[in-house]
Amino acid sequence: MIRNHIALWDTIEECDITGSSDSSIKNVTPVDIMKILDEADIEEIYCNGTTSYKLFIKYLYPVCKRMPVKLPSTSPANAAWNIEKLYNEWKIIKQHV
């Protein structure tokens, strides 16, 4: 990831959640996205799944005015997507490395 200039950054700094159920997320504290955007030359932002994307739009887009790309979740709970289908969607990231 370092060699390809890819960074991972969460949408949520902290929240209340039951197990790993995205639908139970409450009391969200979003990350300070400007902390990284002010310091790094970020070309594109990708969200790992619909929940991440929705939370980004709700909490981070108003701050940074950067539209993320929504990719399918890599969570094991996303059983509809096998590794091949995920790879075919996620390979879009290769355009920026």
Side-chain angles (χ1 to χ4, degrees):
M1 291 181 67
I2 292 170
R3 181 178 64 239
N4 289 299
H5 308 284
I6 296 173
L8 296 176
W9 198 263
D10 286 325
T11 302
I12 298 173
E13 184 170 321
E14 59 183 281
C15 68
D16 295 330
I17 186 170
T18 303
S20 59
S21 172
D22 287 349
S23 63
S24 73
I25 294 173
K26 294 180 177 77
N27 301 317
V28 171
T29 300
V31 297
D32 179 4
I33 195 162
M34 295 312 296
K35 185 177 191 178
I36 194 169
L37 293 179
D38 286 344
E39 297 294 325
D41 182 21
I42 306 297
E43 293 182 25
E44 195 71 73
I45 298 171
Y46 300 92
C47 289
N48 184 6
T50 300
T51 300
S52 175
Y53 179 82
K54 287 179 179 178
L55 291 166
F56 188 100
I57 297 300
K58 181 176 182 177
Y59 294 105
L60 302 181
Y61 177 78
V63 175
C64 70
K65 304 293 189 229
R66 301 270 303 265
M67 282 300 294
V69 174
K70 180 176 71 167
L71 293 171
S73 175
T74 57
S75 168
N78 188 13
W81 289 78
N82 64 30
I83 193 71
E84 184 178 333
K85 284 175 66 177
L86 286 170
Y87 174 78
N88 285 331
E89 293 296 315
W90 277 80
K91 70 183 180 183
I92 189 174
I93 295 173
K94 291 173 73 175
Q95 296 174 9
H96 295 281
V97 294

